[in-house]
Amino acid sequence: MIKQVKPVGMLMGRLPKGGDLLEELNAFCGKENITAGEVRAIGAVERATLGFYNQDTREYEFHELDQALEIVALVGNVSLKDGEPFVHAHVTLGDNQGRLFGGHLAPGAPIFACEAVFTVFQTDAPFVRALDEPTGLPLWDMK
Ligand code: ZN
């Protein structure tokens, strides 16, 4: 279930203030034609929506954090879903007391500031997401 990938380059940039964090990450990959890779970022958002996948109901539960937060860490990967570059990212966010919240990054996080680093991979075969029956999630098809 593991395939070798080869790092072939890195891109580093700042995402626009006011843009949606997840949408901007996806748009960046589309613009730069990144179809396999890794992303890391730090910065701040004006608020956020985080997902938690309920393994029993097989549905995401979303909670909204309606406050300014630091992006303490964002880590994610880039692959293909429905033929388009798709970023799957998880974030750890910190409030003004240093308390941390974390989860699956969903749309609904306006960027205050964000510095992102992408590592671009070359792969023998593309990483494509497809529905995985045992989990109900769109995971990589490793066949
Ligand atoms: Zn996730």
Side-chain angles (χ1 to χ4, degrees):
M1 297 292 274
I2 302 266
K3 289 194 279 193
Q4 201 166 49
V5 297
K6 185 177 167 195
V8 291
M10 296 188 79
L11 294 165
M12 187 159 87
R14 190 160 74 87
L15 300 181
K17 185 178 187 303
D20 183 82
L21 180 54
L22 182 57
E23 287 172 16
E24 293 293 343
L25 291 169
N26 277 316
F28 187 86
C29 292
K31 192 167 60 119
E32 298 295 334
N33 199 26
I34 303 171
T35 57
E38 182 178 19
V39 57
R40 288 177 289 151
I42 56 173
V45 290
E46 295 169 6
R47 60 181 181 278
T49 301
L50 298 179
F52 172 85
Y53 190 68
N54 183 316
Q55 297 174 17
D56 295 322
T57 65
R58 293 171 154 234
E59 289 193 353
Y60 274 99
E61 295 166 6
F62 293 99
H63 57 280
E64 291 179 20
L65 300 165
D66 195 14
Q67 59 188 309
L69 297 154
E70 293 285 312
I71 305 169
V72 176
L74 177 151
V75 62
N77 56 57
V78 187
S79 58
L80 289 169
K81 188 179 175 196
D82 302 323
E84 300 287 329
F86 176 84
V87 173
H88 177 203
H90 287 190
V91 283
T92 305
L93 302 171
D95 73 8
N96 64 354
Q97 302 297 307
R99 287 178 296 231
L100 299 176
F101 305 91
H104 176 97
L105 179 64
I111 296 165
F112 183 78
C114 184
E115 299 170 346
V117 180
F118 291 82
T119 304
V120 183
F121 297 147
Q122 185 183 74
T123 63
D124 291 336
F127 278 70
V128 176
R129 289 188 180 277
L131 179 65
D132 176 68
E133 284 295 343
T135 62
L137 288 165
L139 301 182
W140 292 327
D141 185 355
M142 300 302 279
K143 280 178 258 155

